[in-house]
Structures are given as C-alpha cells and as structure tokens.
DNA sequence: TTAATAGTGTCTCTGAGACAGTATATA
DNA sequence: TATATACTGTCTCAGAGACACTATTAA
C-alpha cells in the first residue's frame, strides 16, 4: 500500500440569482456557485466531488491546481491560494484500500466568463452548484467546501480579492455587490467607498460607464502595485501568478 | 521516481535572554528558540534542518507532527497547527533525484519543560537556536521558519494561544511577557489586562503567587470552554488535541 | 515608610457605521 | 422637471492606547 498525493481545487464564481431576466425585482444578490465533477469509479461512484487528481511528478502543487481548474472550467484563475492539506485516516470509506492526502486549493474566477450551461465546456460530468444547494458529496469534500467558504468570507473582509470575480474594469457598485454577495448582507455605499479607497486597492481608469439612464459611474481597475494585506509563505505579490517562488522574497 | 510525502514541525519555545543569572538588569525579554536537527545524509549533509520525516502509512498528518515533536523534545505540544504544504519543484538541490512534498506544522511548547542544554534529550544531533541567530539551513527551511514566525506573531495578536508557552497557571504579567517577547515590543499592563479579560481567555484560579517581595499577583489559568477565535478546517476546540476530526463539527 | 509591582479610572484619538445631503446623468 | 443612482459630509459610538492614580504586599 502506498500514500497517494492528490491536489483538489474549490472554484468559486458568482451567478445572478434570478437567472430569468429582469434585474428589477427588489435586488436579489448574486450567489456563490462552484463546479463539481461526477465520479466515474469507486469509491463514491456516481457522486459529486471536487475537481482534482494526482499530483504530477514534475508539477508544482499550485500548477496542478491551476491545471485542474482549467480542465474543469476552461478558465485561468484570477485568484488561487492553498487552503489546507487534508490527510486524516478516515477520509476514504471503511475497507477502502487506499490512503490519499489531498492538498486543496481555492480559486476565484471571473463570473462573466463562466459557461454556466449544463452542456458544459468539457463533459456532462461537470456541473455547477449553488453553495446553498449542494448535493451529497464524496469523501470529506463537504467539510472542505465549508472551510473554503469560511476562508473566502473571512478574506474578503480584510483583504482585497473581491475584484477577482470581476473583469478588468468595474464600478464601485459592482465591487460592492460582490462583497455583499459573499458576506450575505448589504453594505453602505458611502462607507464601502471610503473603506476601499483607503486601502488603495483600486485606481480610477478615467472612463465611465455609458448608456445608463442616470449619472454614469466611474470605472476602476485593480491596483496591482499596492501591497497585499495578506501574504503566502513566500510573500508573492499576486497569488494568481503561477510564478515559481523565490527563496528570499524581501528580507 | 516517486513523490515522497514528509511532515516537518517548527517547534517554538521561549528562553530567557541573559541565560546568566540575575533578572535584575533592565528587563531583557525572553526570546524565541526552536530545535533543529543535523542532517546525517545527503543532500545538505551536516547542515541543520527542521525535525520531521516521512508520513507513516497509518498515521494522521497531525499525529506525525506530534510524534516528531516528541522525538525531538520529549514533550507534548501545547499548541499544534498546520502551517502550509510546501511542494515546489526546486526544493531539493539541482540534480537531486527526489521529489518531496512537506506538510509543515508549527507548535508551541511549555518553555519551562524544555531541556535547553546542548547535551539534549535524544542525541547530540538536536540543538536549540534563537530565531534571531539561525545557522544555514537545509532545503527551503529558512523560508518555512520565516513564515511560521509570521503566523505566530499574527496569531498571538488576534487569537489566544500565548498561554501555550506557559504552565497550567500563570500571572497576567507572565502572559504579558510572552506577548511582548513574541511581538517584540512592550505592552501597557493596564490595556493588556483589559484586552485579555474581554476575550474571556483566562479565568482566575483564586490563588496567588507567594513569596514575592511585593503585592502578590493573582494566578490565572486558560479558559478551555471559551470559543476560540480561529478555527481549523474542522472547527476543533483545541488544536493540541490529537483527536480525529469529526466530519460535521457544528452545522 | 519605602519600594515595587498589582490593579483601576479616565482621557483622547481613530476607524466603522448610520444616515442626511449634494451632484449629475437620462427621460 | 422628475428620478435614479453616484458621490460627499458629518454625527455617533466603540475599541485601542496613553497615562495618572490607587491597592497591597514585604523589607
């Protein structure tokens, strides 16, 4: 018997709630969705699981996570961070003859680019689910998703990652809506503006949205040069970059 | 070729600065120390490295970290938490024919119980170093220790883990000294008291220190029943417990 | 009484949030 | 002009820190 090392990824996107049509009804916030993969072999055959697979012998952990993400969504992650390494002995059902340690990453992707249709990019075995309405999951993947959600909500509050759900440019209202969706509560526009501006997280592009029936809002973009609040073990500037970590980042 | 999965542990303890004798000279704060192990085979033969080793086939990750800690210090950890999984391709020197992914834990041990003498508990190949005066380290262990230090300092500020350096009972002054040592600055006793009391982290034992030449301070102990500020992926109450994680902790 | 540390009271400053008010586009 | 949203000003409140002050023991 042998210990297998796998890498899985929790991939988050935002999706408008009433997928029908009119955004005119009482402001329903977008909800968090994530793609799952149907297992085609035991254990847990037929059940849904996080996308992932064994680590390649010549592959960085983060690269494996990004590869999995691409295979599942045909996208590149806007944000990618290691979540945790899961390795307890009870992860597989009793009697299973394997020992798997999973290094799990979590990622944010641009919601506009996500193909949400059931006839998906890759196969019929990938489907997107609302985090509020998940199916029965294989292994301990329910616990993993719960923890990833906790980290996401935590980090949105003190860090500057919400823009990863959006495109290159966005309005403050759009960014605020992302925060509201993730945190599950409405935020005061005035205070939100001040808070974001104080972190230098975004810079105005000088352009404005056109075609509105009201005062056109400014467009902003993410400020790549500002220091991130958090840091990984290697102090990378942007966790989305799959750059190989330098051994001595600053000190 | 095969991917090897190893578990290493960064073990922190506090040690009085002027190991001489008199605690009478201007208040030198204790400093952080950690044990390293001298490598007895290539690569990096003869250099110092974090204690650790391969994961046992029937061993939880956390159990492996605790086992390593016991083998190195003959102690049980008062606090133990996963730090990060390190797995980049450049971790071993060029030309080395191995691929190691290390799941690294960090731990706090009771400083009073640590045997600091060079003739150590286990072998001559274990030695304690001040984190301000580390030798050349094998692999990427310098980066790992740097990150563990960052996490420790971060977590001491917002969580309630400092007591793990102390015994069962302690005075507020002792607890404050731990904070001061870790953070590297002095703290206002009055404000520190209020801050700690507001978190319900500690409860008075009703006893006092005896034999002082001044007003005897109250003795406190850690409040196990209070909710921890942080939570692991499984919401355990006390990370020191090597309990196997339950699949659905609260929700 | 003096010395030394334990422990309390209170002022100030800063940042978060509530919320009123002003600005600017289209219809 | 009405209206809808962008954006600004300002008040209040709570927590962090500075620091003066009181309490209690032994020498």
């Amino acid at each position: 018997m042998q210990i297998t090392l796998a890498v899985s990824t929790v991939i988050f996107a935002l999706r408008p709630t009433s997928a029908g049509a009119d955004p005119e009804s009482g402001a329903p916030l977008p909800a968090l969705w994530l793609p799952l993969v149907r297992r085609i072999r035991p254990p847990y055959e037929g059940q849904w699981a996080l996308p992932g697979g064994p680590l390649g012998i010549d592959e960085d952990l983060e690269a494996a996570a990004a590869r999995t993400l691409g295979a599942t969504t045909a996208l590149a992650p806007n944000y990618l961070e290691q979540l945790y390494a899961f390795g307890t002995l009870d992860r597989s059902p009793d009697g299973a003859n394997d020992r798997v340690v999973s290094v799990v990453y979590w990622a944010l992707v641009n919601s506009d680019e996500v193909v949400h249709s059931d006839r998906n990019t890759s196969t019929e075995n990938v489907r997107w689910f609302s985090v509020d309405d998940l199916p029965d999951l294989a292994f301990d993947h329910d616990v993993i998703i719960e923890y990833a959600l906790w980290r996401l909500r935590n980090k949105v509050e003190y860090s500057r990652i919400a823009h990863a759900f959006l495109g290159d440019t966005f309005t403050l209202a759009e960014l605020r809506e992302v925060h509201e969706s993730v945190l599950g509560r409405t935020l005061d526009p005035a205070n939100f503006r001040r808070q974001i501006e104080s972190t230098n997280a975004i810079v105005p592009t000088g352009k404005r949205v056109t075609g509105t029936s009201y005062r056109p809002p400014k467009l902003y973009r993410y400020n790549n040069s500002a220091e991130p609040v958090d840091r990984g073990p290697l102090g990378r500037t942007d966790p989305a970059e799959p750059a190989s970590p330098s051994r001595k980042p600053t000190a």
Side-chain angles (χ1 to χ4, degrees), chain A residues 176 187-191 193-194 215:
Chain A
R176 177 165 50 85
L187 299 171
D188 184 284
N191 297 332
R193 170 185 302 272
R194 261 188 296 266
R215 174 174 174 177

Short mmCIF file of all heavy atoms in Angstrom, two decimals, chain A residues 176 187-191 193-194 215, chain C residues 18-24, chain D residues 4-11:
data_model
loop_
_atom_site.label_atom_id
_atom_site.label_comp_id
_atom_site.label_asym_id
_atom_site.label_seq_id
_atom_site.Cartn_x
_atom_site.Cartn_y
_atom_site.Cartn_z
N ARG A 176 -18.98 46.43 -4.83
CA ARG A 176 -19.74 46.34 -3.59
C ARG A 176 -20.70 45.17 -3.63
O ARG A 176 -20.88 44.45 -2.65
CB ARG A 176 -20.50 47.65 -3.36
CG ARG A 176 -21.40 47.64 -2.12
CD ARG A 176 -21.84 49.03 -1.73
NE ARG A 176 -22.38 49.76 -2.86
CZ ARG A 176 -23.64 49.70 -3.29
NH1 ARG A 176 -24.49 48.91 -2.67
NH2 ARG A 176 -24.03 50.39 -4.33
N LEU A 187 -24.24 46.47 2.23
CA LEU A 187 -23.23 47.36 2.78
C LEU A 187 -23.57 48.79 2.40
O LEU A 187 -24.10 49.06 1.32
CB LEU A 187 -21.84 47.00 2.23
CG LEU A 187 -21.36 45.58 2.54
CD1 LEU A 187 -20.09 45.26 1.76
CD2 LEU A 187 -21.12 45.42 4.03
N ASP A 188 -23.25 49.69 3.27
CA ASP A 188 -23.49 51.11 3.00
C ASP A 188 -22.56 51.58 1.89
O ASP A 188 -21.33 51.47 2.02
CB ASP A 188 -23.25 51.92 4.26
CG ASP A 188 -23.58 53.38 4.07
OD1 ASP A 188 -22.76 54.08 3.44
OD2 ASP A 188 -24.63 53.81 4.54
N PRO A 189 -23.13 52.12 0.79
CA PRO A 189 -22.29 52.55 -0.33
C PRO A 189 -21.25 53.59 0.05
O PRO A 189 -20.10 53.51 -0.40
CB PRO A 189 -23.31 53.13 -1.32
CG PRO A 189 -24.60 52.47 -0.99
CD PRO A 189 -24.57 52.25 0.50
N ALA A 190 -21.64 54.53 0.89
CA ALA A 190 -20.70 55.59 1.26
C ALA A 190 -19.53 55.02 2.05
O ALA A 190 -18.36 55.28 1.74
CB ALA A 190 -21.43 56.65 2.09
N ASN A 191 -19.83 54.21 3.05
CA ASN A 191 -18.76 53.64 3.87
C ASN A 191 -17.92 52.66 3.08
O ASN A 191 -16.69 52.60 3.25
CB ASN A 191 -19.35 52.95 5.10
CG ASN A 191 -20.08 53.92 5.99
OD1 ASN A 191 -19.76 55.11 6.02
ND2 ASN A 191 -21.09 53.43 6.69
N ARG A 193 -17.26 52.77 -0.11
CA ARG A 193 -16.34 53.56 -0.94
C ARG A 193 -15.13 54.01 -0.14
O ARG A 193 -13.98 53.82 -0.56
CB ARG A 193 -17.08 54.79 -1.49
CG ARG A 193 -16.18 55.82 -2.17
CD ARG A 193 -16.98 57.02 -2.57
NE ARG A 193 -18.07 56.64 -3.45
CZ ARG A 193 -17.96 56.56 -4.76
NH1 ARG A 193 -16.80 56.83 -5.34
NH2 ARG A 193 -18.98 56.21 -5.50
N ARG A 194 -15.37 54.60 1.01
CA ARG A 194 -14.25 55.10 1.81
C ARG A 194 -13.31 53.97 2.21
O ARG A 194 -12.09 54.12 2.15
CB ARG A 194 -14.79 55.78 3.08
CG ARG A 194 -14.84 57.28 2.97
CD ARG A 194 -15.20 57.87 4.30
NE ARG A 194 -16.54 57.47 4.70
CZ ARG A 194 -17.63 58.18 4.46
NH1 ARG A 194 -17.54 59.33 3.83
NH2 ARG A 194 -18.81 57.75 4.84
N ARG A 215 -26.86 59.09 -13.66
CA ARG A 215 -25.46 59.55 -13.62
C ARG A 215 -24.49 58.39 -13.83
O ARG A 215 -24.49 57.43 -13.06
CB ARG A 215 -25.20 60.19 -12.25
CG ARG A 215 -23.76 60.57 -12.04
CD ARG A 215 -23.59 61.33 -10.76
NE ARG A 215 -22.20 61.60 -10.45
CZ ARG A 215 -21.78 62.30 -9.42
NH1 ARG A 215 -22.67 62.81 -8.59
NH2 ARG A 215 -20.52 62.52 -9.21
P DA C 18 -24.71 50.38 9.86
OP1 DA C 18 -25.56 49.31 10.43
OP2 DA C 18 -24.37 50.38 8.42
"O5'" DA C 18 -25.38 51.79 10.19
"C5'" DA C 18 -25.57 52.16 11.55
"C4'" DA C 18 -26.23 53.52 11.63
"O4'" DA C 18 -25.25 54.55 11.32
"C3'" DA C 18 -27.38 53.73 10.63
"O3'" DA C 18 -28.40 54.49 11.25
"C2'" DA C 18 -26.71 54.49 9.49
"C1'" DA C 18 -25.68 55.33 10.23
N9 DA C 18 -24.49 55.64 9.42
C8 DA C 18 -23.77 54.76 8.65
N7 DA C 18 -22.75 55.31 8.05
C5 DA C 18 -22.80 56.63 8.44
C6 DA C 18 -21.98 57.75 8.14
N6 DA C 18 -20.92 57.68 7.34
N1 DA C 18 -22.31 58.93 8.69
C2 DA C 18 -23.38 59.00 9.49
N3 DA C 18 -24.21 58.02 9.86
C4 DA C 18 -23.86 56.85 9.29
P DC C 19 -29.85 54.61 10.56
OP1 DC C 19 -30.81 54.73 11.66
OP2 DC C 19 -29.98 53.58 9.52
"O5'" DC C 19 -29.76 56.02 9.82
"C5'" DC C 19 -29.12 57.12 10.48
"C4'" DC C 19 -28.87 58.22 9.49
"O4'" DC C 19 -27.54 58.10 8.93
"C3'" DC C 19 -29.82 58.27 8.27
"O3'" DC C 19 -30.19 59.60 8.06
"C2'" DC C 19 -28.93 57.78 7.16
"C1'" DC C 19 -27.65 58.48 7.58
N1 DC C 19 -26.43 58.11 6.83
C2 DC C 19 -25.43 59.08 6.66
O2 DC C 19 -25.60 60.20 7.16
N3 DC C 19 -24.33 58.78 5.94
C4 DC C 19 -24.19 57.56 5.42
N4 DC C 19 -23.09 57.31 4.74
C5 DC C 19 -25.20 56.58 5.58
C6 DC C 19 -26.29 56.88 6.29
P DA C 20 -31.67 59.99 7.55
OP1 DA C 20 -32.55 59.77 8.70
OP2 DA C 20 -31.95 59.36 6.26
"O5'" DA C 20 -31.49 61.57 7.33
"C5'" DA C 20 -30.75 62.32 8.29
"C4'" DA C 20 -29.93 63.38 7.60
"O4'" DA C 20 -28.75 62.79 7.00
"C3'" DA C 20 -30.66 64.11 6.46
"O3'" DA C 20 -30.38 65.50 6.54
"C2'" DA C 20 -30.07 63.48 5.20
"C1'" DA C 20 -28.65 63.19 5.65
N9 DA C 20 -28.01 62.11 4.92
C8 DA C 20 -28.47 60.83 4.76
N7 DA C 20 -27.68 60.07 4.05
C5 DA C 20 -26.63 60.91 3.72
C6 DA C 20 -25.46 60.69 2.97
N6 DA C 20 -25.16 59.52 2.40
N1 DA C 20 -24.61 61.73 2.82
C2 DA C 20 -24.92 62.90 3.40
N3 DA C 20 -25.99 63.22 4.12
C4 DA C 20 -26.81 62.16 4.25
P DG C 21 -31.13 66.55 5.59
OP1 DG C 21 -31.30 67.76 6.41
OP2 DG C 21 -32.27 65.87 4.95
"O5'" DG C 21 -30.05 66.86 4.46
"C5'" DG C 21 -28.73 67.27 4.86
"C4'" DG C 21 -27.83 67.19 3.66
"O4'" DG C 21 -27.62 65.79 3.32
"C3'" DG C 21 -28.36 67.85 2.38
"O3'" DG C 21 -27.45 68.83 1.94
"C2'" DG C 21 -28.50 66.71 1.39
"C1'" DG C 21 -27.47 65.72 1.92
N9 DG C 21 -27.67 64.36 1.50
C8 DG C 21 -28.73 63.52 1.79
N7 DG C 21 -28.61 62.34 1.25
C5 DG C 21 -27.40 62.40 0.55
C6 DG C 21 -26.75 61.41 -0.22
O6 DG C 21 -27.12 60.25 -0.47
N1 DG C 21 -25.55 61.89 -0.74
C2 DG C 21 -25.05 63.15 -0.54
N2 DG C 21 -23.88 63.43 -1.12
N3 DG C 21 -25.64 64.08 0.19
C4 DG C 21 -26.81 63.63 0.70
P DT C 22 -27.97 69.87 0.77
OP1 DT C 22 -27.58 71.22 1.25
OP2 DT C 22 -29.36 69.58 0.35
"O5'" DT C 22 -27.01 69.51 -0.43
"C5'" DT C 22 -25.58 69.56 -0.24
"C4'" DT C 22 -24.90 68.89 -1.40
"O4'" DT C 22 -25.30 67.50 -1.47
"C3'" DT C 22 -25.22 69.49 -2.78
"O3'" DT C 22 -23.99 69.71 -3.45
"C2'" DT C 22 -26.07 68.42 -3.45
"C1'" DT C 22 -25.50 67.16 -2.82
N1 DT C 22 -26.36 65.97 -2.86
C2 DT C 22 -25.93 64.87 -3.55
O2 DT C 22 -24.87 64.82 -4.13
N3 DT C 22 -26.80 63.80 -3.53
C4 DT C 22 -28.02 63.73 -2.90
O4 DT C 22 -28.71 62.70 -2.96
C5 DT C 22 -28.42 64.91 -2.20
C7 DT C 22 -29.73 64.96 -1.49
C6 DT C 22 -27.58 65.98 -2.21
P DA C 23 -24.00 70.29 -4.93
OP1 DA C 23 -22.77 71.09 -5.06
OP2 DA C 23 -25.32 70.86 -5.26
"O5'" DA C 23 -23.79 68.97 -5.79
"C5'" DA C 23 -22.53 68.34 -5.78
"C4'" DA C 23 -22.44 67.34 -6.92
"O4'" DA C 23 -23.40 66.28 -6.70
"C3'" DA C 23 -22.75 67.91 -8.30
"O3'" DA C 23 -21.80 67.37 -9.20
"C2'" DA C 23 -24.18 67.42 -8.58
"C1'" DA C 23 -24.18 66.09 -7.86
N9 DA C 23 -25.48 65.63 -7.37
C8 DA C 23 -26.35 66.32 -6.57
N7 DA C 23 -27.44 65.65 -6.28
C5 DA C 23 -27.27 64.43 -6.92
C6 DA C 23 -28.08 63.28 -6.99
N6 DA C 23 -29.26 63.16 -6.39
N1 DA C 23 -27.61 62.24 -7.73
C2 DA C 23 -26.42 62.36 -8.34
N3 DA C 23 -25.59 63.39 -8.34
C4 DA C 23 -26.08 64.40 -7.60
P DT C 24 -21.67 67.97 -10.67
OP1 DT C 24 -20.26 67.91 -11.04
OP2 DT C 24 -22.45 69.22 -10.76
"O5'" DT C 24 -22.43 66.86 -11.52
"C5'" DT C 24 -21.89 65.55 -11.57
"C4'" DT C 24 -22.80 64.68 -12.40
"O4'" DT C 24 -24.01 64.37 -11.65
"C3'" DT C 24 -23.27 65.31 -13.71
"O3'" DT C 24 -23.26 64.31 -14.72
"C2'" DT C 24 -24.70 65.72 -13.39
"C1'" DT C 24 -25.10 64.54 -12.50
N1 DT C 24 -26.29 64.74 -11.66
C2 DT C 24 -27.17 63.70 -11.51
O2 DT C 24 -27.00 62.62 -12.03
N3 DT C 24 -28.26 63.96 -10.71
C4 DT C 24 -28.54 65.15 -10.07
O4 DT C 24 -29.55 65.27 -9.39
C5 DT C 24 -27.59 66.19 -10.28
C7 DT C 24 -27.81 67.53 -9.63
C6 DT C 24 -26.52 65.95 -11.05
P DA D 4 -37.29 56.34 -9.68
OP1 DA D 4 -38.33 55.57 -10.37
OP2 DA D 4 -37.44 56.70 -8.25
"O5'" DA D 4 -35.92 55.56 -9.84
"C5'" DA D 4 -35.33 55.44 -11.13
"C4'" DA D 4 -33.85 55.66 -11.03
"O4'" DA D 4 -33.59 57.07 -10.95
"C3'" DA D 4 -33.20 55.05 -9.79
"O3'" DA D 4 -32.28 54.06 -10.19
"C2'" DA D 4 -32.53 56.20 -9.09
"C1'" DA D 4 -32.41 57.23 -10.19
N9 DA D 4 -32.33 58.60 -9.68
C8 DA D 4 -33.14 59.17 -8.74
N7 DA D 4 -32.83 60.41 -8.47
C5 DA D 4 -31.74 60.68 -9.28
C6 DA D 4 -30.95 61.83 -9.47
N6 DA D 4 -31.14 62.95 -8.81
N1 DA D 4 -29.94 61.74 -10.38
C2 DA D 4 -29.76 60.60 -11.04
N3 DA D 4 -30.44 59.46 -10.95
C4 DA D 4 -31.43 59.56 -10.05
P DT D 5 -31.73 52.96 -9.14
OP1 DT D 5 -31.85 51.65 -9.76
OP2 DT D 5 -32.31 53.25 -7.82
"O5'" DT D 5 -30.18 53.31 -9.03
"C5'" DT D 5 -29.43 53.46 -10.23
"C4'" DT D 5 -28.38 54.50 -10.04
"O4'" DT D 5 -28.97 55.76 -9.65
"C3'" DT D 5 -27.36 54.18 -8.93
"O3'" DT D 5 -26.08 54.10 -9.52
"C2'" DT D 5 -27.47 55.36 -7.98
"C1'" DT D 5 -28.03 56.44 -8.90
N1 DT D 5 -28.66 57.54 -8.14
C2 DT D 5 -28.15 58.81 -8.27
O2 DT D 5 -27.20 59.09 -8.97
N3 DT D 5 -28.79 59.77 -7.52
C4 DT D 5 -29.88 59.58 -6.68
O4 DT D 5 -30.37 60.53 -6.06
C5 DT D 5 -30.37 58.24 -6.60
C7 DT D 5 -31.54 57.92 -5.71
C6 DT D 5 -29.74 57.28 -7.32
P DA D 6 -24.75 53.74 -8.74
OP1 DA D 6 -23.98 52.81 -9.59
OP2 DA D 6 -25.06 53.38 -7.35
"O5'" DA D 6 -24.00 55.14 -8.75
"C5'" DA D 6 -23.58 55.68 -10.00
"C4'" DA D 6 -22.88 57.01 -9.79
"O4'" DA D 6 -23.80 57.93 -9.15
"C3'" DA D 6 -21.65 56.93 -8.88
"O3'" DA D 6 -20.64 57.76 -9.44
"C2'" DA D 6 -22.16 57.45 -7.55
"C1'" DA D 6 -23.22 58.45 -7.96
N9 DA D 6 -24.31 58.61 -6.99
C8 DA D 6 -25.20 57.64 -6.60
N7 DA D 6 -26.08 58.07 -5.72
C5 DA D 6 -25.76 59.40 -5.54
C6 DA D 6 -26.32 60.40 -4.72
N6 DA D 6 -27.37 60.20 -3.92
N1 DA D 6 -25.74 61.63 -4.76
C2 DA D 6 -24.69 61.81 -5.57
N3 DA D 6 -24.08 60.95 -6.39
C4 DA D 6 -24.67 59.74 -6.32
P DC D 7 -19.15 57.62 -8.92
OP1 DC D 7 -18.27 58.30 -9.88
OP2 DC D 7 -18.87 56.22 -8.53
"O5'" DC D 7 -19.20 58.50 -7.60
"C5'" DC D 7 -19.26 59.91 -7.75
"C4'" DC D 7 -19.55 60.57 -6.44
"O4'" DC D 7 -20.81 60.12 -5.90
"C3'" DC D 7 -18.57 60.37 -5.29
"O3'" DC D 7 -17.75 61.52 -5.20
"C2'" DC D 7 -19.46 60.15 -4.06
"C1'" DC D 7 -20.83 60.55 -4.57
N1 DC D 7 -21.99 59.95 -3.84
C2 DC D 7 -22.74 60.75 -3.01
O2 DC D 7 -22.45 61.94 -2.88
N3 DC D 7 -23.80 60.22 -2.35
C4 DC D 7 -24.10 58.92 -2.50
N4 DC D 7 -25.15 58.43 -1.83
C5 DC D 7 -23.34 58.08 -3.37
C6 DC D 7 -22.30 58.62 -4.01
P DT D 8 -16.82 61.78 -3.94
OP1 DT D 8 -15.79 62.75 -4.35
OP2 DT D 8 -16.45 60.48 -3.37
"O5'" DT D 8 -17.79 62.52 -2.91
"C5'" DT D 8 -18.36 63.77 -3.27
"C4'" DT D 8 -18.83 64.53 -2.04
"O4'" DT D 8 -20.03 63.91 -1.50
"C3'" DT D 8 -17.85 64.59 -0.87
"O3'" DT D 8 -17.89 65.92 -0.35
"C2'" DT D 8 -18.38 63.57 0.12
"C1'" DT D 8 -19.88 63.69 -0.12
N1 DT D 8 -20.65 62.47 0.21
C2 DT D 8 -21.69 62.56 1.09
O2 DT D 8 -22.02 63.59 1.63
N3 DT D 8 -22.34 61.36 1.31
C4 DT D 8 -22.07 60.14 0.75
O4 DT D 8 -22.72 59.15 1.02
C5 DT D 8 -20.96 60.12 -0.17
C7 DT D 8 -20.57 58.86 -0.84
C6 DT D 8 -20.31 61.27 -0.39
P DG D 9 -16.94 66.32 0.84
OP1 DG D 9 -16.43 67.69 0.58
OP2 DG D 9 -16.01 65.23 1.13
"O5'" DG D 9 -17.99 66.42 2.06
"C5'" DG D 9 -19.22 67.08 1.84
"C4'" DG D 9 -20.00 67.23 3.16
"O4'" DG D 9 -20.76 66.02 3.43
"C3'" DG D 9 -19.16 67.47 4.41
"O3'" DG D 9 -19.90 68.34 5.28
"C2'" DG D 9 -19.01 66.07 5.00
"C1'" DG D 9 -20.35 65.44 4.65
N9 DG D 9 -20.31 64.00 4.43
C8 DG D 9 -19.38 63.30 3.69
N7 DG D 9 -19.63 62.02 3.65
C5 DG D 9 -20.78 61.85 4.40
C6 DG D 9 -21.51 60.68 4.70
O6 DG D 9 -21.27 59.52 4.35
N1 DG D 9 -22.64 60.96 5.49
C2 DG D 9 -22.99 62.22 5.92
N2 DG D 9 -24.09 62.30 6.66
N3 DG D 9 -22.31 63.33 5.65
C4 DG D 9 -21.23 63.06 4.88
P DT D 10 -19.26 68.91 6.61
OP1 DT D 10 -19.88 70.25 6.78
OP2 DT D 10 -17.80 68.77 6.57
"O5'" DT D 10 -19.85 67.97 7.74
"C5'" DT D 10 -21.24 67.80 7.83
"C4'" DT D 10 -21.60 66.79 8.89
"O4'" DT D 10 -21.56 65.44 8.35
"C3'" DT D 10 -20.67 66.76 10.11
"O3'" DT D 10 -21.46 66.45 11.24
"C2'" DT D 10 -19.78 65.58 9.80
"C1'" DT D 10 -20.89 64.65 9.30
N1 DT D 10 -20.46 63.38 8.67
C2 DT D 10 -21.25 62.28 8.83
O2 DT D 10 -22.29 62.29 9.44
N3 DT D 10 -20.76 61.15 8.23
C4 DT D 10 -19.58 61.04 7.52
O4 DT D 10 -19.24 59.96 7.02
C5 DT D 10 -18.80 62.24 7.40
C7 DT D 10 -17.51 62.22 6.65
C6 DT D 10 -19.27 63.34 7.98
P DC D 11 -21.30 67.33 12.56
OP1 DC D 11 -22.02 68.59 12.33
OP2 DC D 11 -19.87 67.33 12.96
"O5'" DC D 11 -22.12 66.46 13.62
"C5'" DC D 11 -23.47 66.07 13.32
"C4'" DC D 11 -23.72 64.65 13.82
"O4'" DC D 11 -23.12 63.72 12.90
"C3'" DC D 11 -23.10 64.38 15.19
"O3'" DC D 11 -24.12 64.03 16.11
"C2'" DC D 11 -22.13 63.24 14.97
"C1'" DC D 11 -22.55 62.65 13.63
N1 DC D 11 -21.42 62.11 12.86
C2 DC D 11 -21.40 60.78 12.49
O2 DC D 11 -22.35 60.05 12.79
N3 DC D 11 -20.35 60.30 11.78
C4 DC D 11 -19.33 61.11 11.47
N4 DC D 11 -18.32 60.59 10.78
C5 DC D 11 -19.33 62.48 11.85
C6 DC D 11 -20.38 62.94 12.53
#
